[in-house]
Amino acid sequence: MQQQMQQNQSGQQGIMSQPPTIVTGKDQFYISDMLSWNLLAMKKAHFFAQQCMDPEIKTALEQCGQMHQRHYEKIISHLQNPNQPSQSQLQ
C-alpha cells in the first residue's frame, strides 16, 4: 500500500509490457466507452465538415473525423485479433 502511494505521489506508474490475459467488467466498459467516443467524434466531425463553408476548416474537420475513424477501426482490430501482432509491429 505504501509503495503504491509513493508511486502515485511521484507521478510514476508501472507500464504493462503485455496486455492482461483476462478482460474485466471495468475493462469492457472502458473499451465500450472508447468505441463510443471515437464513433461520436467521427460523426460530429463529418457533420460539421458538411456544414462548413471555409475550405481550410472543412479540411481540418475531415482530417479529424478520419483520425477518429482510424482509432475506432484500430480498437476493433485489436478486439478481433487479440493474439496476433498488428501489421505495424511486423514491419
Side-chain angles (χ1 to χ4, degrees), residues 16-19 74 77-78 81-91:
M16 287 188 194
S17 61
Q18 293 184 6
K74 187 68 165 179
S77 73
H78 285 303
N81 299 313
N83 296 324
Q84 295 178 356
S86 67
Q87 291 293 334
S88 62
Q89 291 174 338
L90 294 176
Q91 295 175 351

Side-chain angles (χ1 to χ4, degrees), residues 44-54 57-58 61-62:
K44 284 185 174 187
H46 176 72
F47 173 78
F48 288 117
Q50 296 303 312
Q51 305 301 314
C52 192
M53 299 295 183
D54 186 322
I57 296 174
K58 183 174 185 159
L61 287 167
E62 289 171 348

Side-chain angles (χ1 to χ4, degrees), residues 20-57:
T21 55
I22 62 168
V23 176
T24 67
K26 188 175 181 179
D27 294 333
Q28 288 175 320
F29 286 126
Y30 187 70
I31 291 167
S32 176
D33 284 346
M34 285 191 304
L35 289 168
S36 295
W37 296 330
N38 278 290
L39 185 60
L40 181 60
M42 176 180 60
K43 287 179 178 181
K44 284 185 174 187
H46 176 72
F47 173 78
F48 288 117
Q50 296 303 312
Q51 305 301 314
C52 192
M53 299 295 183
D54 186 322
E56 289 181 35
I57 296 174

Side-chain angles (χ1 to χ4, degrees), residues 1-17:
M1 180 73 172
Q2 189 175 14
Q3 182 182 11
Q4 183 181 11
M5 288 176 57
Q6 288 173 347
Q7 284 180 336
N8 289 339
Q9 289 174 352
S10 65
Q12 296 176 353
Q13 295 181 353
I15 297 175
M16 287 188 194
S17 61

